[in-house]
Amino acid sequence: MKNLYEGYCEGTSTKLVREEFGDIKVYTHNVKSLLNKATGFIAAYDFTLNPYRGCQYGCSYCYAAAFSPDPNMRQDWGKWVIIKENAAEILEKELDKWREKNPHQPPTIYMSSVTDPYQPIESKYQLTRRLLEVMLDYRPTLVIQTRSPIITRDIEILQRFQRLRINMSIPTGSELVRKDFEPRSPSIKSRLNAIAKIKQNIHPLKGFLPKISITITPLLPTFPDNEVAFIDKLKIADRVVIQDFHPSHNRSLVASTREEVQNIKQKYAWWYDKQQLSYMRFKEILMTRLPGVEIKEGKDGFGYD
Ligand code: SF4
């Protein structure tokens, strides 16, 4: 039976509705499978893993909105989330199967491709945390893509992964720009602090230091006054990844940037009127000021190694 989400569809199956979280509608759902074959930008991985459907951060440029289960929910991207309630149990079964078939080859997993695994509701449901606990036994190569300081809650588990890369998403160095493009997301400062906290709290003799990327994807404008100070702070990472907005004609990405962002971009004509130049100039400053950091572009930046 097709799931119906109360508030979005007529003829509701209200048992799917659990509660509201802030102004977010929360639904729960039991899934039949969790791991998906990785494609597009991250095709080098065996699987993508999304603990949730929907994302409370609701960034204006998010291409994942295209995967909403209902057209109205696409419109309301950021205002609903579906918890995959039985995810831990399903993950264990799927990883058991993988191990049976590939006893000497741990899987490579990218978490997450179309949601943030550490969006605010994770602080209450701890679903991502439970998935990490399941994964540990299978020794995967794991990449966690997030923009949330909530990840620091799990340091004690994270340090037990031998092959972990954390991709912290920070698309701009200007708080004003962040507030325009992604007003519900954590501050830039809190994301940088989260990375510092992770690095400081993992003792190399007690755990494994994760690799750290800062993903400036898509590269949003940074005001000239903030540029140098921001870029200097990126020394905390071992890799910085930049990428332009997803072009709508590129089918390998399945979906393109949301239309909503076009209006916001108009406010930043000083950057977008010469977008290619702005990109190249920013890249050049990165390369000049971060000699010890790997600077990668687009798909190349999303691999584990
Ligand atoms: S945090 Fe990521 S998945 Fe969530 S809305 Fe923003 S871009 Fe989309």
Side-chain angles (χ1 to χ4, degrees):
M1 188 183 87
K2 193 170 183 285
N3 292 326
L4 298 172
Y5 298 101
E6 188 182 83
Y8 287 105
C9 311
E10 287 186 22
T12 53
S13 50
T14 52
K15 65 179 189 305
L16 290 170
V17 180
R18 175 165 275 185
E19 61 175 306
E20 300 215 340
F21 185 89
D23 61 346
I24 307 288
K25 287 195 171 69
V26 180
Y27 303 91
T28 60
H29 175 45
N30 277 332
V31 290
K32 294 199 176 77
S33 63
L34 188 70
L35 295 171
N36 278 310
K37 189 175 159 25
T39 57
F41 251 47
I42 43 178
Y45 295 84
D46 294 313
F47 301 112
T48 56
L49 194 175
N50 289 281
Y52 301 95
R53 265 188 103 175
C55 184
Q56 289 165 273
Y57 290 139
C59 307
S60 61
Y61 49 79
C62 182
Y63 65 87
F67 303 103
S68 303
D70 176 284
N72 293 325
M73 291 168 95
R74 177 178 178 147
Q75 201 59 38
D76 268 2
W77 180 249
K79 299 195 177 138
W80 54 271
V81 60
I82 303 167
I83 301 168
K84 298 181 182 175
E85 209 165 31
N86 60 341
E89 187 191 318
I90 297 294
L91 180 63
E92 196 168 353
K93 284 186 188 155
E94 290 180 331
L95 289 176
D96 277 345
K97 260 193 209 159
W98 171 273
R99 188 150 61 185
E100 253 175 62
K101 281 194 194 153
N102 310 279
H104 306 297
Q105 189 191 335
T108 55
I109 300 176
Y110 188 94
M111 177 175 83
S112 298
S113 53
V114 286
T115 188
D116 193 311
Y118 285 103
Q119 59 184 298
I121 202 160
E122 169 62 19
S123 58
K124 178 170 180 187
Y125 283 94
Q126 310 208 0
L127 181 54
T128 296
R129 186 180 171 91
R130 275 184 276 143
L131 296 178
L132 288 174
E133 283 166 346
V134 170
M135 277 188 267
L136 266 177
D137 258 6
Y138 301 84
R139 306 164 69 88
T141 294
L142 176 65
V143 171
I144 300 179
Q145 179 81 46
T146 184
R147 67 191 62 221
S148 172
I150 299 171
I151 191 173
T152 58
R153 179 201 64 193
D154 291 342
I155 289 175
E156 152 232 335
I157 303 174
L158 297 174
Q159 68 179 349
R160 291 161 63 198
F161 283 86
Q162 282 194 43
R163 286 172 60 82
L164 171 67
R165 179 178 283 280
I166 296 172
N167 286 356
M168 180 59 78
S169 188
I170 313 181
T172 171
S174 299
E175 267 301 286
L176 283 174
V177 179
R178 178 194 70 73
K179 284 178 184 161
D180 275 338
F181 283 89
E182 40 174 272
R184 290 167 171 259
S185 71
S187 70
I188 298 166
K189 193 172 169 195
S190 70
R191 299 182 214 186
L192 287 165
N193 285 347
I195 292 299
K197 191 170 174 188
I198 290 170
K199 291 184 82 164
Q200 282 156 14
N201 283 276
I202 294 178
H203 191 291
L205 296 178
K206 293 186 190 146
F208 302 94
L209 270 177
K211 294 175 188 280
I212 303 284
S213 302
I214 305 283
T215 52
I216 311 183
T217 55
L219 173 66
L220 300 179
T222 290
F223 287 111
D225 281 359
N226 304 137
E227 215 164 50
V228 167
F230 172 57
I231 289 175
D232 284 354
K233 286 187 186 127
L234 304 183
K235 286 182 187 135
I236 198 162
D238 47 71
R239 179 187 295 170
V240 171
V241 188
I242 50 170
Q243 177 197 300
D244 253 335
F245 276 96
H246 298 137
S248 52
H249 60 268
N250 188 343
R251 296 313 299 161
S252 69
L253 291 163
V254 185
S256 62
T257 301
R258 291 170 75 200
E259 278 159 31
E260 182 186 326
V261 84
Q262 301 309 334
N263 298 333
I264 306 171
K265 278 168 102 175
Q266 281 173 16
K267 199 170 156 183
Y268 294 93
W270 57 270
W271 175 281
Y272 287 110
D273 281 354
K274 297 180 196 148
Q275 187 166 348
Q276 197 54 27
L277 204 70
S278 305
Y279 179 95
M280 294 307 293
R281 211 185 56 82
F282 192 87
K283 181 179 150 192
E284 212 174 292
I285 307 177
L286 282 178
M287 302 196 56
T288 313
R289 297 200 72 89
L290 302 176
V293 178
E294 212 183 0
I295 310 293
K296 295 216 168 193
E297 291 177 87
K299 188 177 179 180
D300 274 358
F302 285 87
Y304 170 80
D305 288 310

